[in-house]
Structure formats: C-alpha cells, structure tokens
Amino acid sequence: MLLTVLNSAKTFSRHLRLNFKRIVTTWPFRTMSVGKVGRNNWPVAAVCQMTSTSDKTDNLRVCRQLISSAATQGADMVFLPEAFDYIAENKDESIELSENLDGDTITAMKDAAKSHGIWLSLGGFHQRGLNGVDSRIRNSHVIINSNGEVVEVYDKIHLFDVKLKRDGIVQLKESAHTLPGTRVSSPVSTPIGRVGLGICYDLRFPEMSLVLKQMGAEILTFPSAFTSVTGQAHWEVLLRTRAVDNQCYVVAAAQVGQHNGRRMSYGHAMIVDPWGKIVASCDGEVGVALAEIDLDNLRKIREEMPLDDQRRPDLYGSVAVCDSGFCKILII
C-alpha cells in the first residue's frame, strides 16, 4: 500500500513490543533468523525489513546496507519490501517522487546487485506513468539478476482501496494515484528457485497464488507495507495459508514502524516453508532474516500430498489451465 494510513500510535506501539523471534546478530542491522543457514548446500534467501520515508537518499542508503549485510551472510537473493524507494506524505508527493526504470533508484539497485553478485527482489517501486493522459504511477515489483539486469517487472493488480474502523481509522485509496496492472507475470527462474511475483494486497486473493503455482512457482513473494491493524489480525495467518495451500515457500519483506505523522506499518517480515513453518522472521526493527530454501523438501511435500492431481475442477471450476508452464487464465 503506497498511501496514507490513519491509525493510533498506541495500537502500533503495542505491536512493536512483541518479541517475535530470537536475535542472532545486532550490527549494523539486527539479523533475525531461525533457519539453519550455512549447514547445507541449499540456496539462501534474505528477507528485509525497513522504515521508508520521503527521503529517497536515506532509503537508498538503508537498502544498500541491508543488501550488503545479506550478501556477507551468504544470501543468493535479497527481498526488499513494498515502497523500498519511499513512502510519501501525500498523493501529490508520491507522484512527484516517482521515477522511471532507468532512473537513479533502479540504477543504484542494479549496481548493488552486480557488485555483490546477488539477485534482488524490489517489491513496490513507484514507477512513473508512461502516458501523458493519466499521471498515476504503477506499483511495480522489479527483479534484478546478479549481472545487474532487470529480468522481470510485475505491476500490482489488486489495489488497496479500503476504509476500516479498528482501533482508529485506516482509510486508503491506492487507485487514487496508482494504475492497476493488467497481467500475472510468469514465475522467474532464480538461484533459489522459481519465484512468483505479488505485492502486498495481492496476498488476499488466493486465485492469484494458485495460478502462480500452476505456472511453476516454487516460491511466492509478497513484499508489503501492511498496516498495524490488518497486520496484527491477518499477516501471519495469510502468509502461512498461502504456503500450505500452494505447497510453496512464501517470502514476505515488510515495512515497519512510523514513516511519517500519518503512516505506520506492522513489520514482521518472514519466510515460510511449504509446510507452513516460519523458518526466518524479523521483529519490530529494521533488519534482515535469512533461511535456506530446501526445494527437495518442497518436492517431497508435493509428492506425499499431490493436491494438483486431486483437485476437482469438474465440480468447482479452475482459475487456469496450465501445460508445461504455460497457462491460460479462465473466467469462472
């Protein structure tokens, strides 16, 4: 969600006191991990948590340090949250601060990927609109390989337009300054597996995750900026459910803390395995958590419980028909 959140500081401060998982190291960022990183030869994913503001230079500094910290600890792919580039004070500022894919922000991330020899998932880049008729941005999930090349861009298709009354008011209308995407991107082959791309609110639509799984995804990723109200109620249960339903790893980078006077995020970035177990997680601070991605275990789970073979589309329909990784989306 790249919009203004109105919420009570009292409610959020209570969330930050949660001691979510044990701390492994504390400098330069807190590194929270419950995975057995380094004990096997499996690839390593790093999920990041940060507090973006409207200061793009400082946000970029934090991103570089998170990437460097993850790379030093052996990560093969680093996942940054939605709005890693900035969280603006208002709609006009959000549009004004946006950039194209060839702007300074993505150029800096390309350089970081290349210099560390690491893949990056940049979830929720404010991409400037391409036409002169509609000034709205796109909320874009950008994948950069270890050569510093953009290999995929997914534009968020489900926009967060809600008005909640829970412990204060959460009112957002993402469509006011964001254009919805028009396609589900094919999963990207990476050093840690085939990664299916989503962003934040996409998490709430199980059909999208199922389509990505049927297209060959082994890892679903939902970089987010969940509000404190919705995060406390739904964040963990949604992530673990998507992992179990689709027998996939789920990697969810997160925004955390107070961004400005009107906006705060829940945090609790995590990696969930295909059995629904949280294998790495962050608490209420800026930091990074790492976990090995055991694709042998993923395949074992799918073999032991062959959900795809047991589905009954003859009774309740399908969201897609897939063959050899190519899917035709159906309208039910």
Side-chain angles (χ1 to χ4, degrees), residues 213-253:
K213 190 269 182 85
Q214 292 178 337
M215 294 172 77
E218 297 162 319
I219 299 138
L220 302 174
T221 183
F222 298 100
S224 297
F226 255 54
T227 70
S228 57
V229 172
T230 58
Q232 183 187 36
H234 303 145
W235 176 245
E236 180 182 326
V237 69
L238 282 170
L239 294 172
R240 297 179 71 183
T241 299
R242 293 295 161 264
V244 172
D245 281 353
N246 298 287
Q247 299 173 314
C248 287
Y249 278 90
V250 171
V251 181

